[in-house]
Amino acid sequence: MTDIETNLKEILTELPPKVRLVAVSKFHPNEAIEKAYAAGQRIFGESKVQEMTQKYEALPKDIEWHFIGHLQTNKIKYIAPYVSLIHGVDSYKLLSEIDKQAAKCNRIISCLLQIHIAQEETKFGFSFDECTEMLEQGKWKELKNISLQGLMGMASNSDDMQQVRNEFHLLHSYFWNIKNNFFPCMPTFKDLSIGMSHDYHIAMEEGATIIRVGSKIFGDRVYGYPSD
Ligand SMILES: *Cc1c(COP(=O)(O)O)cnc(C)c1O
């Protein structure tokens, strides 16, 4: 049996004050989230729109729901009323669609830009150049219902921890480059979301302000959960 409370506390004791933990509960049932909630955790991360929305409806309303998956534009409307932070924004088009749906809900939705730092081609995200270009282009400044709060990245799925460290390190330098160039007087641009179960220690050493940890808290994921 996975002892969710023990796992959670173990991670929380390692967390410096400036780092927030997203408990990644995707593919785990409500009962697992309730255990973490009872132990004090309030931020949960999900990667499917339908699954997150069902959980939002069933669970306590003071939970902050972070969407960490790949978001399709036609599904934004389902999460727009309640999502706290969207981690994986990887195109201007997606950002502007989030803005539209946020406006309909009379909300300002916080977003992170996802940067592709891994070697695998399958992972989503802007390249450094694409992201800089999008920000230079400047149209994002007209979007009044989104708030850009930082960057998100996933390292290579590798046992080579030096490789993982280098990728996080590069993203951290890029974060400061972007912050200084485009958000110099905006304290809201502050977050670097890096680090998962197997690499969050390295991520914290390399400047993470948000870590996204799933299996280390909840155990192995049970696939077969209704997906969308
Ligand atoms: C699933 C997932 C995580 C959590 O992964 P674990 O290895 O279980 O900690 C973190 N970030 C993203 C984007 C994910 O999809």
Side-chain angles (χ1 to χ4, degrees), residues 53-84:
T53 303
Q54 284 171 354
K55 287 172 172 173
Y56 161 74
E57 282 164 1
L59 290 162
K61 290 295 174 282
D62 62 341
I63 290 178
E64 272 184 43
W65 294 100
H66 287 207
F67 192 80
I68 63 169
H70 182 66
L71 184 55
Q72 289 169 264
T73 49
N74 62 338
K75 290 186 177 163
I76 301 166
K77 58 177 179 284
Y78 300 113
I79 64 170
Y82 70 88
V83 68
S84 286

Side-chain angles (χ1 to χ4, degrees), residues 43-201:
I43 309 177
F44 293 90
E46 292 283 337
S47 61
K48 301 273 186 220
V49 165
Q50 189 186 327
E51 181 178 345
M52 183 163 90
T53 303
Q54 284 171 354
K55 287 172 172 173
Y56 161 74
E57 282 164 1
L59 290 162
K61 290 295 174 282
D62 62 341
I63 290 178
E64 272 184 43
W65 294 100
H66 287 207
F67 192 80
I68 63 169
H70 182 66
L71 184 55
Q72 289 169 264
T73 49
N74 62 338
K75 290 186 177 163
I76 301 166
K77 58 177 179 284
Y78 300 113
I79 64 170
Y82 70 88
V83 68
S84 286
L85 181 62
I86 298 176
H87 287 234
V89 177
D90 61 358
S91 70
Y92 176 78
K93 180 168 183 283
L94 181 57
L95 194 63
S96 73
E97 290 294 325
I98 294 170
D99 181 69
K100 261 192 217 159
Q101 296 300 329
K104 284 188 192 165
C105 306
N106 211 0
R107 296 188 72 211
I108 294 172
I109 296 183
S110 299
C111 297
L112 303 180
L113 300 173
Q114 182 171 0
I115 310 293
H116 185 277
I117 53 171
Q119 287 174 318
E120 296 96 330
E121 282 182 12
T122 49
K123 290 189 175 136
F124 295 103
F126 289 100
S127 68
F128 292 122
D129 285 349
E130 287 165 350
C131 184
T132 305
E133 224 168 86
M134 191 276 285
L135 292 170
E136 269 170 356
Q137 211 273 343
K139 275 205 302 203
W140 60 276
K141 291 178 189 161
E142 293 159 21
L143 306 177
K144 299 301 179 208
N145 291 82
I146 53 104
S147 165
L148 289 180
Q149 307 230 322
L151 304 178
M152 178 268 211
M154 286 172 91
S156 294
N157 186 7
S158 164
D159 293 331
D160 180 352
M161 285 304 156
Q162 191 57 47
Q163 168 76 24
V164 167
R165 183 181 295 279
N166 292 346
E167 290 168 1
F168 287 157
H169 195 81
L170 214 58
L171 185 57
H172 190 211
S173 330
Y174 181 72
F175 171 87
W176 281 105
N177 170 329
I178 289 298
K179 177 153 176 74
N180 292 332
N181 278 306
F182 300 100
F183 304 91
C185 307
M186 293 164 83
T188 46
F189 191 91
K190 62 182 174 26
D191 282 317
L192 184 59
S193 168
I194 48 173
M196 305 168 37
S197 290
H198 71 289
D199 58 16
Y200 72 90
H201 291 105

